[in-house]
Amino acid sequence: MDHFASTTCCFGITRDPASGLRVYAPHGFDDLFGMVLRPNPVLAPREVYEAKARRWQAEWPRLVVEPWPER
């Protein structure tokens, strides 16, 4: 999950028998609930991020797509 193409996608919920639900969101919730797609350049290739961004923006026109960082 940490290697997904967007930091916004690095989010998960699992059931923990001892404590109920367990949330994993290493980049927080702001982008998720703000509909901001931000690249995760750690391991994801640029082409994968940009293809997903095009597809998701067609599905959710309000989605704000942050560009891949130029380094």
Side-chain angles (χ1 to χ4, degrees):
M1 185 177 306
D2 291 332
H3 308 297
F4 286 174
S6 169
T7 59
T8 314
C9 296
C10 299
F11 176 85
I13 301 174
T14 59
R15 183 178 298 275
D16 183 331
S19 62
L21 296 178
R22 178 185 248 163
V23 177
Y24 180 73
H27 303 285
F29 299 102
D30 291 343
D31 286 350
L32 181 67
F33 294 115
M35 293 193 70
V36 176
L37 191 67
R38 195 173 308 279
N40 183 9
V42 176
L43 287 177
R46 179 181 188 154
E47 300 78 29
V48 170
Y49 172 74
E50 290 175 346
K52 288 179 182 290
R54 280 190 302 275
R55 190 175 81 235
W56 293 338
Q57 198 163 39
E59 186 75 25
W60 297 290
R62 288 189 11 213
L63 183 66
V64 175
V65 177
E66 294 292 328
W68 189 265
E70 299 297 331
R71 293 188 197 194

